[in-house]
């Protein structure tokens, strides 16, 4: 398979999957039903959720400057904010292209070398991944009895234990292979893991590490809070448990990587998580679409304005090589 074909597949497959999942979710809940939920929703909570999402994005833009300052780059907050919003918007078209565009924006308007700007983005993603793993760990701890009971109820205990043992053996064998093998694949994986560790540790070496960590926790706190408060907009989700919110949030977060911006996959991921707690299909999918649509509207609005206003904001500054 040549490079051109691979690039075409990278762009087209997530889009096709998104279209299929949109169709599939509509087969579960009709458009007329979704419109009823949208009409009856309490938009005070939806707007509040959008505001919390906005705060998280602004905090991400401010946090980015902590990584750039030790390298001698005092980036304008306006450029940092617009670069972050542009990233999210561009990722709706071509997955992961937004990160490249974000580093390029700093190269064009702030003179930050592309590789340095992109390196800080990779490091920040590592920090986000660590927090996400923390959320998963906390959720497993808090909801262990429920999750364990759910698995025992639906699956044979022996099969679960066998699956865990087999999984641990496979992980052990894979790690041994990665450590000893000199194949191209093993070297890439080893290099990737080393890079993750170094990137994670680099956070503790920066001057404003505690401010960076505080902003990271704030960003993810706002993500969780916007998910929770938006659920109040749907009457049928009144009294939703903390466990459902946490597992729904985790499921929805992973769905964003499956398709462009989570289109189609986001509502279904929430439905899959909520169904574990016996929450009905219609309000779950309706909430997923309302949650996804409100945050997407926020990104389209501010991302579009950012792309238009960036050259105007920097009109008195010559583009740097």
């Amino acid at each position: 398979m040549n490079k051109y074909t691979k690039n075409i597949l990278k762009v087209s497959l997530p889009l096709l999957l998104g279209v299929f999942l949109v169709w599939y979710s509509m087969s579960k809940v009709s458009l007329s039903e979704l419109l009823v939920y949208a009409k009856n929703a309490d938009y005070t909570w939806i707007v509040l959720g959008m505001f919390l999402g906005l705060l998280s994005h602004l905090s991400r833009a401010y946090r980015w400057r902590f990584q750039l300052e030790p390298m001698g780059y005092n980036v304008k907050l306006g450029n940092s904010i617009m670069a972050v919003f542009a990233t999210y918007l561009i990722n709706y078209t071509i997955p992961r292209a937004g990160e490249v565009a974000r580093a390029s924006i700093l190269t064009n308007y702030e003179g930050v070398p592309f590789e340095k700007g992109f390196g800080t983005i990779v490091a920040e993603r590592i920090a986000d991944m660590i927090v996400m793993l923390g959320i998963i760990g906390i959720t497993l701890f808090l909801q262990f009895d429920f999750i364990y009971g759910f698995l025992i109820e639906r699956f044979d205990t022996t099969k679960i234990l066998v699956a865990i043992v087999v999984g641990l053996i496979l992980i052990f064998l894979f790690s041994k292979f990665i450590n000893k093998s000199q194949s191209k694949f093993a070297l890439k994986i080893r290099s990737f893991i080393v890079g993750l560790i170094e990137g994670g540790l680099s956070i503790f070496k920066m001057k404003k590490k505690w401010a960076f960590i505080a902003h990271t926790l704030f960003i993810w706190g706002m993500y969780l809070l916007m998910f929770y408060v938006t659920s109040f907009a749907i009457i049928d989700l009144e009294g939703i448990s903390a466990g459902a919110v946490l597992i729904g949030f985790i499921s929805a977060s992973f769905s964003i990587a499956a398709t462009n911006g989570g289109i189609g996959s986001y509502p279904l991921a929430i439905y899959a998580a909520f169904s574990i707690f016996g929450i009905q299909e219609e309000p779950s999918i309706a909430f997923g679409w309302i949650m996804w649509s409100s945050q997407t509207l926020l990104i389209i609005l501010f991302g579009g304005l950012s792309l238009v206003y960036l050259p105007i904001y920097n009109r008195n500054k010559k583009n740097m090589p």
Side-chain angles (χ1 to χ4, degrees):
M1 189 182 293
N2 59 43
K3 189 176 180 181
Y4 177 76
T5 306
K6 285 182 180 179
N7 289 335
I8 292 293
L9 290 174
K10 282 180 183 178
V11 175
S12 61
L13 286 180
L15 285 172
L16 291 173
L17 179 59
V19 170
F20 169 75
L21 292 175
V22 169
W23 169 82
Y24 182 74
S25 67
M26 291 302 179
S27 71
K28 294 284 186 181
V29 181
S30 67
L31 180 60
S32 59
E33 287 178 293
L34 287 177
L35 290 174
V36 170
Y37 275 102
K39 183 180 177 181
N40 295 330
D42 187 339
Y43 281 86
T44 302
W45 295 112
I46 295 173
V47 171
L48 178 57
M50 293 174 71
F51 176 70
L52 294 172
L54 176 63
L55 289 180
S56 71
H57 302 323
L58 293 175
S59 180
R60 181 177 293 277
Y62 195 82
R63 180 187 69 171
W64 194 18
R65 301 170 80 223
F66 296 149
Q67 298 169 274
L68 294 162
E69 282 175 6
M71 294 186 287
Y73 301 104
N74 188 21
V75 174
K76 287 182 181 177
L77 181 59
N79 280 332
S80 182
I81 291 171
M82 287 186 281
V84 166
F85 277 111
T87 297
Y88 289 128
L89 181 60
I90 293 168
N91 277 339
Y92 275 86
T93 56
I94 303 173
R96 302 299 119 208
E99 280 71 20
V100 175
R102 182 174 160 191
S104 299
I105 287 170
L106 282 202
T107 301
N108 290 333
Y109 297 119
E110 294 285 355
V112 179
F114 177 84
E115 62 277 7
K116 290 186 178 181
F118 192 76
T120 60
I121 295 169
V122 172
E124 110 175 359
R125 293 303 185 198
I126 293 169
D128 291 334
M129 185 180 69
I130 291 169
V131 175
M132 187 65 188
L133 290 173
I135 292 172
I136 293 171
I138 292 169
T139 302
L140 289 173
F141 176 76
L142 295 176
Q143 299 295 314
F144 178 79
D145 291 339
F146 178 83
I147 295 170
Y148 179 76
F150 175 81
L151 292 173
I152 292 298
E153 184 182 330
R154 284 163 177 76
F155 302 100
D156 183 79
T157 309
T158 306
K159 289 181 179 178
I160 294 173
L161 291 173
V162 169
I164 291 172
V165 171
V166 170
L168 291 173
I169 291 172
L170 289 174
I171 291 170
F172 174 75
L173 292 174
F174 183 72
S175 62
K176 291 277 284 184
F177 166 75
I178 294 300
N179 284 330
K180 293 185 177 182
S181 175
Q182 295 300 313
S183 67
K184 195 173 181 181
F185 172 75
L187 290 172
K188 278 187 176 181
I189 295 294
R190 198 152 61 228
S191 175
F192 176 72
I193 293 171
V194 170
L196 287 179
I197 294 170
E198 287 181 354
L201 292 175
S202 69
I203 293 166
F204 296 96
K205 295 176 182 177
M206 65 176 69
K207 282 185 178 180
K208 297 180 179 178
K209 57 179 177 290
W210 296 116
F212 180 92
I213 292 169
H215 272 275
T216 301
L217 295 175
F218 177 81
I219 289 165
W220 283 89
M222 291 300 100
Y223 285 163
L224 266 169
L225 200 55
M226 77 179 183
F227 190 90
Y228 179 57
V229 301
T230 305
S231 71
F232 294 160
I234 307 294
I235 297 173
D236 291 350
L237 294 181
E238 187 177 351
I240 187 171
S241 68
V245 170
L246 285 168
I247 294 176
F249 172 78
I250 292 167
S251 180
S253 298
F254 281 112
S255 75
I256 294 173
T259 59
N260 297 29
I263 183 169
S265 61
Y266 196 93
L268 290 173
I270 290 175
Y271 160 62
F274 282 4
S275 65
I276 298 172
F277 295 84
I279 300 173
Q280 293 183 340
E281 184 176 71
E282 292 81 3
S284 299
I285 293 179
F287 166 67
W289 275 114
I290 288 171
M291 182 74 201
W292 182 85
S293 299
S294 60
Q295 295 302 318
T296 298
L297 178 63
L298 180 74
I299 294 303
I300 291 173
L301 176 62
F302 284 93
L305 288 172
S306 296
L307 289 174
V308 171
Y309 190 62
L310 263 169
I312 299 172
Y313 182 74
N314 294 280
R315 62 183 177 274
N316 296 325
K317 193 171 188 176
K318 292 181 180 180
N319 286 356
M320 299 183 181

